[in-house]
Amino acid sequence: MLTNLTAQPADKILELVGMYRADPRDNKIDLGVGVYKDAEGKTPVMRAVKAAEKQLWETETSKSYTSLAGEPAFHDAMIDLVLGTSVERDRIAAAATPGGTGAIRQAMELVKLANPDATIWLSNPTWPNHPSIIKFLGLPMREYRYFDSETRAVDFEGMAQDLAEAKEGDIVLLHGCCHNPTGANLTLPEWAEVISILQETGATPLIDIAYQGFGDGLEDDAAGVRMVASEMPECLIAASCSKNFGVYRERTGILMAISEKADNTEVAQGTLAFLNRQNFSFPPDHGARLVTMILTDPALRADWQAELEEVRLNMLALREQLAAELQALTGSDRFGFLAQHRGMFSRLGTSPDKVLALREKHGIYMVGDSRLNIAGLNKNSVSILAKAIVDVGI
Ligand code: LMR
């Protein structure tokens, strides 16, 4: 049986991690996988996470199973973080999942169960694991225009035209903030227009929010999601805690399913629990418990928010420095978009051979579509990157 297997396509982002590790050069720079790094190149455990872990170690008396959908306290804390008071709580079903990817996978499973003929609309480009999971599940998908590679901004006209073709019952996957891989985001008026299109077509939004707090701040980054959730009859939301709590390997995420009417919530909640049971039974608890402790303890929460804000401002400063250094080196404003983009990523908008040249000649690793992880930089490596970008002729 095992001899029937054929090699699966490598995940482009994770493949790069292996290539970077294997590179013996000590001046190499990793701008690949989306992991936050501080000025020393370390991915620290956040202070509030350490403090919560200590408290948990001292007080936890059992590691028996939680419930299939995870702890209700985690649902409440995350619903409050992502949605605030934008939606009536009794319309929201929620389940803890193994990371944000787990939430996306469970959302797709839910769509497959509820409406297997639905087409899932993805931004072009999007995080490569989105189409990979959809293809694996055999669901129909289509792309909508999103990124204008000339201006490096959102091609909103193209997006609106394409989404107008969605059919009733289709699913439109939107990035809540900090679009991955481009860094180009919708403005609030554009979110409002997307909502009108969804309402006209009868398509349902699925929002992937994996970087809340990395763009314009915790509240601002959730503004689009909240607007959609409050104005659409139904909405799915996949949220990740990997980045904003720095708990990557704990696999902490949540899927929320908002029904039009509260009397559907029980069956939606039961379905989320059922889907967890089919795929992995109980969700991981450690990270979810830490997140709950942090969000519900005022002192831990204040410390977490302060550190998250430092992380955000650090990335913004690196963006501005990179744009300024490129401006000085090239005498043009064509890299100004780097300071306008938000979140961990920006897409440089160059060809794969230039990306390869950066890697081979300068030891600078970024994804082949020219997505760079801003958080992989520090004050010194920004200058090295700027010179290398000019050197390879981008
Ligand atoms: C990324 O896009 O680099 C992150 O979301 C990590 C991953 O799993 O791909």
Side-chain angles (χ1 to χ4, degrees):
M1 186 235 356
L2 296 177
T3 52
N4 294 338
L5 296 174
T6 52
Q8 297 298 328
D11 182 288
K12 294 276 175 281
I13 298 171
L14 302 184
E15 191 181 30
L16 206 64
V17 174
M19 286 161 72
Y20 176 80
R21 285 196 186 134
D23 187 334
R25 287 175 286 185
D26 52 16
N27 59 349
K28 60 188 176 178
I29 300 174
D30 179 14
L31 307 180
V33 67
V35 170
Y36 176 76
K37 294 193 197 124
D38 62 16
E40 281 79 50
K42 302 258 173 339
T43 303
V45 181
M46 293 180 89
R47 297 184 300 259
V49 169
K50 270 281 179 211
E53 278 185 320
K54 185 161 182 281
Q55 268 184 35
L56 187 59
W57 183 79
E58 283 163 358
T59 54
E60 191 172 52
T61 53
S62 173
K63 288 206 183 277
S64 175
Y65 292 123
T66 60
S67 66
L68 274 178
E71 290 289 327
F74 174 63
H75 305 161
D76 289 343
M78 285 300 292
I79 287 169
D80 178 60
L81 182 71
V82 176
L83 290 172
T85 53
S86 59
V87 182
E88 301 87 332
R89 178 65 184 88
D90 61 2
R91 288 174 51 215
I92 312 172
T97 54
T101 309
I104 288 288
R105 170 66 187 258
Q106 296 300 80
M108 300 306 176
E109 298 270 10
L110 184 88
V111 171
K112 193 170 177 178
L113 200 64
N115 188 4
D117 298 328
T119 294
I120 300 174
W121 290 77
L122 300 175
S123 65
N124 179 14
T126 191
W127 182 50
N129 214 18
H130 286 150
S132 179
I133 292 173
I134 296 168
K135 200 168 151 218
F136 183 69
L137 289 173
L139 293 166
M141 64 178 149
R142 278 183 71 176
E143 283 182 337
Y144 59 88
R145 275 170 284 170
Y146 185 80
F147 188 63
D148 181 334
S149 44
E150 286 298 310
T151 61
R152 271 82 154 183
V154 176
D155 169 10
F156 192 71
E157 223 182 282
M159 176 177 183
Q161 272 172 18
D162 291 348
L163 286 185
E165 285 182 31
K167 303 267 173 301
E168 192 175 346
D170 282 357
I171 303 293
V172 174
L173 201 158
L174 300 157
H175 295 228
C177 62
C178 307
H179 185 267
N180 179 4
T182 67
N185 296 296
L186 298 178
T187 61
L188 283 182
E190 287 170 346
W191 275 107
E193 211 166 311
V194 168
I195 292 169
S196 304
I197 299 168
L198 291 168
Q199 286 169 340
E200 271 160 38
T201 57
T204 300
L206 160 57
I207 306 182
D208 182 354
I209 179 157
Y211 300 90
Q212 189 183 353
F214 271 32
D216 291 310
L218 276 175
E219 295 296 307
D220 286 355
D221 287 349
V225 184
R226 291 176 187 180
M227 200 194 273
V228 174
S230 69
E231 292 185 29
M232 292 301 298
E234 292 187 346
C235 182
L236 298 173
I237 298 167
S240 170
C241 301
S242 298
K243 279 85 179 180
N244 52 6
F245 289 86
V247 290
Y248 305 83
R249 65 176 65 161
E250 302 297 351
R251 309 313 299 138
T252 309
I254 187 166
L255 174 62
M256 303 172 198
I258 305 174
S259 295
E260 182 167 11
K261 299 224 160 55
D263 60 12
N264 195 59
T265 303
E266 198 179 324
V267 71
Q269 185 63 46
T271 306
L272 295 186
F274 168 81
L275 288 173
N276 273 8
R277 183 67 167 161
Q278 306 320 302
N279 282 329
F280 45 79
S281 214
F282 296 87
D285 179 68
H286 185 71
R289 201 162 286 265
L290 300 176
V291 165
T292 311
M293 290 167 77
I294 292 167
L295 290 176
T296 54
D297 177 309
L300 288 178
R301 185 172 179 134
D303 192 38
W304 167 68
Q305 286 192 198
E307 192 171 359
L308 179 60
E309 192 61 3
E310 281 165 32
V311 161
R312 185 179 81 82
L313 294 177
N314 184 27
M315 287 189 290
L316 268 185
L318 290 166
R319 285 186 172 283
E320 295 197 348
Q321 191 193 339
L322 182 58
E325 296 214 10
L326 282 163
Q327 212 278 340
L329 286 173
T330 62
S332 94
D333 286 332
R334 68 196 165 90
F335 291 101
F337 65 86
L338 289 163
Q340 307 306 320
H341 287 168
R342 286 292 179 273
M344 284 188 123
F345 307 117
S346 268
R347 182 182 257 204
L348 271 183
T350 191
S351 61
D353 51 303
K354 300 233 159 107
V355 172
L356 188 66
L358 282 174
R359 188 159 82 221
E360 289 185 338
K361 198 165 166 207
H362 297 277
I364 296 174
Y365 285 72
M366 63 181 70
V367 185
D369 66 355
S370 73
R371 181 192 87 169
L372 65 104
N373 174 15
I374 295 290
L377 292 165
N378 60 37
K379 282 201 177 81
N380 300 328
S381 58
V382 165
S383 308
I384 300 170
L385 172 65
K387 289 192 190 100
I389 286 175
V390 173
D391 179 64
V392 301
I394 293 174

